[in-house]
Amino acid sequence: MLVVAAALIDPKGRVLVQRRKRSSEHGGLWEFPGGKVEPGETLPGALVRELAEELGIAIEPADLAALTFSTRLREDGRELALMLYSCRRWEGVPTALDAEAVAWHAPAGLGALDMPPLDIELARNAIPLLM
Protein backbone atom coordinates (compact mmCIF):
# COMPACT_ATOMS: atom_id res chain seq x y z
CA MET A 1 0.00 0.00 0.00
CA LEU A 2 1.40 3.39 -1.00
CA VAL A 3 0.68 6.51 1.06
CA VAL A 4 1.92 10.03 0.34
CA ALA A 5 2.31 12.95 2.74
CA ALA A 6 3.60 16.50 2.68
CA ALA A 7 5.81 18.63 4.86
CA LEU A 8 4.31 22.02 3.99
CA ILE A 9 6.91 24.63 4.90
CA ASP A 10 5.84 28.23 5.47
CA PRO A 11 8.06 31.34 4.91
CA LYS A 12 9.13 31.18 8.60
CA GLY A 13 10.43 27.63 8.08
CA ARG A 14 7.65 26.01 10.11
CA VAL A 15 6.07 22.70 9.09
CA LEU A 16 2.33 22.03 9.07
CA VAL A 17 0.97 18.93 10.82
CA GLN A 18 -2.61 17.87 11.44
CA ARG A 19 -4.26 16.05 14.36
CA ARG A 20 -6.15 12.89 13.36
CA LYS A 21 -9.81 12.65 14.31
CA ARG A 22 -10.21 10.80 17.60
CA SER A 23 -12.56 8.29 15.94
CA SER A 24 -9.90 7.20 13.40
CA GLU A 25 -6.95 4.82 13.62
CA HIS A 26 -4.20 6.63 15.58
CA GLY A 27 -6.89 9.12 16.67
CA GLY A 28 -5.62 12.27 18.37
CA LEU A 29 -2.06 11.88 17.06
CA TRP A 30 -0.27 14.45 14.89
CA GLU A 31 0.73 13.56 11.34
CA PHE A 32 1.90 15.00 8.07
CA PRO A 33 -1.18 15.56 5.85
CA GLY A 34 -1.72 13.19 2.95
CA GLY A 35 -3.31 9.85 2.16
CA LYS A 36 -3.49 6.70 0.06
CA VAL A 37 -2.51 6.55 -3.58
CA GLU A 38 -5.48 5.40 -5.68
CA PRO A 39 -5.08 3.06 -8.69
CA GLY A 40 -3.87 4.95 -11.75
CA GLU A 41 -2.54 7.95 -9.77
CA THR A 42 1.04 9.13 -9.70
CA LEU A 43 2.50 9.80 -6.26
CA PRO A 44 2.53 13.60 -6.74
CA GLY A 45 -0.95 13.48 -8.29
CA ALA A 46 -2.32 11.60 -5.29
CA LEU A 47 -0.73 14.10 -2.91
CA VAL A 48 -2.16 17.07 -4.81
CA ARG A 49 -5.63 15.46 -4.55
CA GLU A 50 -5.26 14.56 -0.87
CA LEU A 51 -4.09 18.04 0.15
CA ALA A 52 -7.03 19.62 -1.69
CA GLU A 53 -9.44 17.25 0.10
CA GLU A 54 -7.85 17.49 3.56
CA LEU A 55 -6.64 21.09 3.68
CA GLY A 56 -8.47 22.93 0.89
CA ILE A 57 -5.25 24.05 -0.79
CA ALA A 58 -4.07 23.84 -4.40
CA ILE A 59 -0.58 22.61 -5.22
CA GLU A 60 1.20 22.08 -8.51
CA PRO A 61 2.97 18.71 -8.76
CA ALA A 62 6.15 20.55 -9.82
CA ASP A 63 6.22 22.24 -6.38
CA LEU A 64 6.61 18.88 -4.59
CA ALA A 65 10.09 17.53 -3.85
CA ALA A 66 10.69 13.99 -2.59
CA LEU A 67 12.13 14.23 0.94
CA THR A 68 12.18 10.82 2.67
CA PHE A 69 10.16 7.64 3.14
CA SER A 70 9.29 5.01 5.72
CA THR A 71 8.00 1.44 5.43
CA ARG A 72 6.29 -0.99 7.76
CA LEU A 73 4.79 -4.45 7.56
CA ARG A 74 1.11 -4.25 8.54
CA GLU A 75 -0.63 -6.81 10.72
CA ASP A 76 -2.40 -8.17 7.62
CA GLY A 77 0.99 -8.95 6.03
CA ARG A 78 0.93 -6.11 3.48
CA GLU A 79 3.77 -3.63 3.31
CA LEU A 80 2.92 0.03 3.83
CA ALA A 81 5.22 2.62 2.25
CA LEU A 82 4.80 6.25 3.29
CA MET A 83 6.49 8.79 1.02
CA LEU A 84 7.11 12.31 2.37
CA TYR A 85 7.42 15.28 0.03
CA SER A 86 8.33 18.86 0.90
CA CYS A 87 6.37 21.80 -0.47
CA ARG A 88 6.99 25.52 -0.05
CA ARG A 89 4.36 26.92 -2.43
CA TRP A 90 0.58 26.47 -2.53
CA GLU A 91 -2.59 28.47 -3.01
CA GLY A 92 -5.11 28.92 -0.22
CA VAL A 93 -4.98 28.71 3.55
CA PRO A 94 -4.52 25.21 5.00
CA THR A 95 -7.65 24.37 6.98
CA ALA A 96 -8.51 21.21 8.95
CA LEU A 97 -11.22 19.83 6.65
CA ASP A 98 -10.62 16.16 7.51
CA ALA A 99 -8.81 16.44 10.86
CA GLU A 100 -9.36 17.90 14.33
CA ALA A 101 -6.76 20.64 13.92
CA VAL A 102 -3.74 21.86 12.02
CA ALA A 103 -0.69 23.52 13.56
CA TRP A 104 2.64 24.95 12.44
CA HIS A 105 5.80 23.72 14.22
CA ALA A 106 9.50 24.43 13.91
CA PRO A 107 11.23 21.36 12.44
CA ALA A 108 13.14 20.77 15.69
CA GLY A 109 9.82 20.56 17.57
CA LEU A 110 8.34 17.78 15.42
CA GLY A 111 10.08 15.09 17.45
CA ALA A 112 8.20 16.13 20.60
CA LEU A 113 4.76 15.52 19.03
CA ASP A 114 2.72 12.38 19.63
CA MET A 115 2.71 10.82 16.14
CA PRO A 116 1.93 7.45 14.55
CA PRO A 117 5.03 5.21 14.19
CA LEU A 118 5.67 5.92 10.50
CA ASP A 119 5.31 9.69 10.99
CA ILE A 120 7.79 9.53 13.89
CA GLU A 121 10.32 7.95 11.54
CA LEU A 122 9.54 10.48 8.79
CA ALA A 123 9.97 13.38 11.21
CA ARG A 124 13.26 11.96 12.51
CA ASN A 125 14.57 11.58 8.93
CA ALA A 126 13.21 14.94 7.72
CA ILE A 127 14.22 17.24 10.60
CA PRO A 128 17.88 17.62 9.47
CA LEU A 129 16.72 18.20 5.88
CA LEU A 130 14.20 20.87 6.91
CA MET A 131 16.50 22.92 9.16
Side-chain angles (χ1 to χ4, degrees), residues 57-108:
I57 60 174
I59 292 178
E60 292 296 324
D63 290 326
L64 297 170
L67 192 58
T68 188
F69 72 97
S70 181
T71 63
R72 183 176 122 186
L73 194 59
R74 296 169 39 113
E75 290 180 12
D76 62 8
R78 294 186 300 165
E79 186 172 25
L80 171 65
L82 179 53
M83 315 297 288
L84 182 67
Y85 289 80
S86 65
C87 181
R88 295 178 182 273
R89 189 168 56 199
W90 59 87
E91 291 183 24
V93 177
T95 306
L97 300 177
D98 193 41
E100 287 188 2
V102 295
W104 294 97
H105 289 274

Side-chain angles (χ1 to χ4, degrees), residues 107-129:
L110 294 174
L113 298 175
D114 288 331
M115 300 177 110
L118 288 179
D119 285 87
I120 290 170
E121 188 174 334
L122 289 177
R124 185 179 325 117
N125 294 341
I127 288 170
L129 302 172

